[in-house]
Amino acid sequence: MTTSLLIYARAVHFASGMVLLGVVAFRWLVFLPVFAGESEEVWQKFLPLLRKLSALFIGSGIFLIISGFALFWAVAAGMSDMSLTESLNRETFSTVLLLTQFGTVCQLRLGLAVLLGAMMWSLSREHWLTRSQSSWLEAGAGLVAMALVASVAWTGHAAAAGGFAFWWRVLADTAHLLATSIWPTGLLPFALFLGCARRIENPALLRPVLAVAQRFSHVSFITVWILMASGLMNTWFMVGSLSALANTDYGHLLCLKLALFIIILVIAARNRYRLVPLLTSSANPAEKDHFFKLVRYLQNFVTIEFLLALAIVLVVSVLGITPPPH
Amino acid sequence: MRLFLIVLLSVASFSLAQAHAFLDHADPRVGSTLAASPSAVKGWYTEELEPAFSKIEVFDGTGKEIDNKDSKVDPTDKTLMVVSVPKLTAGTYKVEWSAVAVDTHHTTGTFTFTVTGP
């Protein structure tokens, strides 16, 4: 029971934090730079998308906070070697919170969660409908969310390393967590954008939709390299050898994660080198129907990539409770 | 979607040991025979430990705890856990340890050592 809660709470916590950051990253890095210069008419057509992004941002923030509490409970039960019911008492919770490294990080994360909740409360839905890229409140919420996601690195295997290796492990973990938030978790807002564009199916949208697809492709391309570099560093620190990769539970899970990642990568490569060029060549009013048919294909593939990314988050959650061989 | 569900269910059904901090070495050494009583039993672990949830205990052949109940994690080396013992008579002693690493995972283990001398 404790193990199940630990796995699922951690998975929901990771996923919701990354989706929250993914929404912010998509809005800042992809959507607003393209749409800032578009006409009011085009902008108005995407208000439903912005409302969805706002709901996703707030919803994932709520999931992040609730799953954080569930994760704390599961960890407290595991540390005290009690059942979930037995561990539900002030003494156990206060010992974990006040006398352990995990608790110290939780205090910091609790403060960040409260701050994030207050910021999200203040970020009215209407704010999300503006073109402003420089809202301090939104920037602040994004930074707090980044800190919340990155601080997970201090509670995992990396935190158990001593000395010099500790900083390298935490750095690799942090880079990996933040990059994952942009891609592939950021594929969810991108899929919502494509769905919105497909439903509008207006010739005036050909150019901005293509620009968003190309820009997201470029951002993802950079993120993939960061993910691979930090993933290799993590693998080296945690596994250390090919035989450990082949002969341990941790290694097997890592291989499963890698296999899922490769599938996502193949789909992403197909999108980047096949679908986006086809979109580019058909981005004219004469081929409007074909263009939006391609947008639908792209949306389907992006949705599959996102679902596979969620499966990776679940694998990572299990990796978090599995002894690394190194 | 089907692949996603298969992966989801297969991962969720994993049942793995939540073990992270392992005993690296001990003093007295695991299974060793000593000519005289040690003054303390020490265990070095593969990861830094959480003092609030880690302990080490020593039992005699009848199962009675004979350590001084002052088990602690060394504040200068958090991979080291120590408990002092009174002067031990000849016999085999069982050490039981319970460790929680700073990555929050709980492990337990036992080992024995024998004292032959006075």
Side-chain angles (χ1 to χ4, degrees):
Chain A
M1 184 68 179
T2 306
T3 307
S4 298
L5 182 66
L6 204 54
I7 291 173
Y8 289 116
R10 197 189 295 260
V12 172
H13 196 64
F14 281 8
S16 53
M18 287 169 182
V19 166
L20 189 145
L21 255 187
V23 170
V24 174
F26 178 76
R27 190 175 142 87
W28 285 353
L29 300 176
V30 181
F31 184 79
L32 286 178
V34 171
F35 273 75
E38 289 299 326
S39 67
E40 189 59 28
E41 185 197 351
V42 170
W43 181 263
Q44 288 295 324
K45 289 187 186 305
F46 277 86
L47 287 185
L49 170 73
L50 295 171
R51 288 197 186 95
K52 276 183 188 169
L53 291 184
S54 168
L56 193 58
F57 181 79
I58 292 173
S60 52
I62 292 168
F63 270 101
L64 180 71
I65 292 167
I66 293 172
S67 60
F69 282 110
L71 185 58
F72 180 84
W73 183 19
V75 169
M79 287 179 97
S80 58
D81 201 21
M82 293 178 186
S83 70
L84 284 172
T85 319
E86 287 169 344
S87 68
L88 202 56
N89 62 73
R90 195 160 65 175
E91 192 187 340
T92 305
F93 273 38
S94 63
T95 305
V96 173
L97 192 66
L98 302 174
L99 296 176
T100 67
Q101 179 173 307
F102 174 77
T104 306
V105 176
C106 279
Q107 289 175 47
L108 169 74
R109 301 190 81 233
L110 187 64
L112 289 171
V114 169
L115 192 59
L116 182 65
M119 285 172 150
M120 290 196 306
W121 182 262
S122 304
L123 273 169
S124 69
R125 176 174 279 196
E126 287 309 309
H127 169 82
W128 277 72
L129 308 185
T130 71
R131 299 183 192 218
S132 168
Q133 259 185 294
S134 56
S135 159
W136 287 106
L137 194 57
E138 192 181 331
L143 286 173
V144 171
M146 278 176 74
L148 256 176
V149 170
S151 59
V152 168
W154 268 264
T155 62
H157 290 134
F164 189 63
F166 169 82
W167 292 107
W168 279 109
R169 286 188 180 197
V170 167
L171 180 70
D173 255 12
T174 304
H176 208 69
L177 287 163
L178 295 180
T180 307
S181 303
I182 298 171
W183 185 93
T185 323
L187 286 162
L188 180 58
F190 183 48
L192 290 177
F193 167 80
L194 294 172
C196 186
R198 192 166 57 79
R199 274 188 290 278
I200 300 167
E201 214 174 296
N202 186 316
L205 299 179
L206 295 173
R207 198 190 54 76
V209 169
L210 176 64
V212 164
Q214 288 171 330
R215 197 174 170 87
F216 189 82
S217 178
H218 294 325
V219 170
S220 305
F221 187 73
I222 296 165
T223 311
V224 164
W225 286 104
I226 297 172
L227 273 178
M228 288 201 289
S230 53
L232 277 173
M233 275 175 77
N234 276 334
T235 305
W236 173 254
F237 286 134
M238 298 297 179
V239 181
S241 70
L242 281 175
S243 69
L245 197 64
N247 299 315
T248 61
D249 285 334
Y250 193 93
H252 296 160
L253 280 168
L254 208 55
C255 288
L256 175 62
K257 183 191 171 192
L258 195 62
L260 290 169
F261 181 72
I262 289 170
I263 295 171
I264 297 180
L265 218 50
V266 169
I267 299 171
R270 187 184 183 279
N271 290 346
R272 179 178 167 83
Y273 296 109
R274 175 88 180 140
L275 277 180
V276 173
L278 282 174
L279 272 178
T280 309
S281 63
S282 60
N284 58 74
E287 293 183 74
K288 178 179 79 78
D289 290 344
H290 183 56
F291 180 87
F292 284 105
K293 194 177 165 187
L294 290 170
V295 167
R296 195 179 73 224
Y297 284 148
L298 187 58
Q299 188 197 5
N300 290 343
F301 283 119
V302 163
T303 306
I304 292 168
E305 281 181 79
F306 176 72
L307 290 175
L308 289 169
L310 285 186
I312 288 184
V313 170
L314 195 56
V315 175
V316 168
S317 185
V318 181
L319 275 172
I321 62 160
T322 309
H326 200 222
Chain B
M1 182 58 83
R2 188 177 294 172
L3 176 67
F4 175 69
L5 286 174
I6 290 169
V7 170
L8 195 78
L9 290 173
S10 61
V11 169
S13 65
F14 267 100
S15 175
L16 296 159
Q18 294 178 46
H20 291 250
F22 300 104
L23 181 67
D24 185 72
H25 64 283
D27 179 20
R29 285 186 299 170
V30 174
S32 62
T33 301
L34 309 174
S37 169
S39 60
V41 175
K42 300 177 181 179
W44 282 265
Y45 293 81
T46 53
E47 289 185 6
E48 292 190 351
L49 305 177
E50 288 290 1
F53 290 103
S54 303
K55 66 175 180 181
I56 187 166
E57 296 167 319
V58 185
F59 298 88
D60 66 15
T62 65
K64 183 184 168 196
E65 186 175 353
I66 50 86
D67 59 69
N68 292 328
K69 297 186 185 344
D70 58 353
S71 166
K72 63 179 181 188
V73 173
D74 187 331
T76 59
D77 176 6
K78 290 178 90 175
T79 64
L80 170 61
M81 193 150 56
V82 188
V83 66
S84 68
V85 288
K87 190 172 172 58
L88 302 179
T89 55
T92 297
Y93 295 88
K94 183 180 177 186
V95 180
E96 289 187 6
W97 57 265
S98 171
V100 172
V102 292
D103 65 7
T104 75
H105 300 292
H106 186 219
T107 48
T108 57
T110 61
F111 66 89
T112 57
F113 66 90
T114 303
V115 176
T116 55

